[in-house]
Structure formats: structure tokens, C-alpha cells
Amino acid sequence: MSSYYRLKCPKCQGPMKVRASTEQHVFLRVMYLQCQYVPCSWSVRAEFQMTHELSPSGQPNPAVSLPLAPSALLSKARQDNRDIANNNQLDMLDAQEASA
Ligand SMILES: [Zn+2]
């Protein structure tokens, strides 16, 4: 069992696929996405960035650190996790469980 993210095309709500990605920084990846619904086929550049620590790592690495999330961000993260657990979709991104 593993987790993955499924991206929905904002234009047509079809599934989007990551065609390529490059690491810009340990916390930043640039991704090139394309809608898999052929009549749409929208393609975009996107960025995936880790911004705040929500809970500490069990294997701390002093060379890799992020600012601790402020309380408002922690509250938002908890609410988003509850929404996902309740299977409510976020705007463009939803997390699902799938067999590996
Ligand atoms: Zn699309």
C-alpha cells in the first residue's frame, strides 16, 4: 500500500500526468504536467515545494531543515487531512490510497 497524489486538470477535470520533473533544490521540484483527456491535453509547468515542518522527522538531519509551521498553518493542515479522510476533494489535488 502506498500513497500517491492525483492531479485534476483545472480546465476539464481530467487526470493529469507528470511528464517530467527536475529538482531545483532539496525542497523544490519543477514538474511538467499534461492532461490525459486527449481533447483537452492541456500542458503546464508546476512547482512542488516543501515549505514548513508539521512534525519532526524520526531521523533528524541538521543539514536539512524547514521552519516550523505556525499554529494557523498546523490547524489548516489538520483540517485538510480531515477533509481528505472524509473523501472531500481539494480544489486541484486529492490524496488517495492505492495498491503499489
Ligand atoms: Zn484537461
Side-chain angles (χ1 to χ4, degrees):
M1 192 76 95
S2 65
S3 294
Y4 69 96
Y5 291 107
R6 185 173 61 189
L7 295 164
K8 285 195 300 187
C9 174
K11 297 284 190 183
C12 75
Q13 306 303 306
M16 294 199 83
K17 182 177 182 181
V18 178
R19 310 276 305 174
S21 74
T22 58
E23 184 177 288
Q24 305 296 302
H25 181 271
V26 67
F27 297 126
L28 177 64
R29 287 198 79 83
V30 168
M31 299 183 293
Y32 299 92
L33 310 169
Q34 185 168 33
C35 178
Q36 297 301 288
Y37 179 55
V38 173
C40 177
S41 298
W42 197 46
S43 61
V44 297
R45 176 189 182 275
E47 294 180 352
F48 176 82
Q49 183 176 11
M50 298 178 190
T51 60
H52 292 85
E53 182 174 291
L54 300 176
S55 65
S57 170
Q59 299 187 332
N61 178 349
V64 178
S65 66
L66 283 171
L68 295 175
S71 61
L73 201 57
L74 281 171
S75 296
K76 176 75 169 86
R78 288 188 194 107
Q79 182 61 51
D80 287 348
N81 283 332
R82 281 192 293 271
D83 289 347
I84 290 167
N86 292 331
N87 203 24
N88 293 332
Q89 294 185 344
L90 302 177
D91 285 340
M92 291 176 45
L93 185 69
D94 76 67
Q96 305 221 331
E97 294 291 318
S99 300

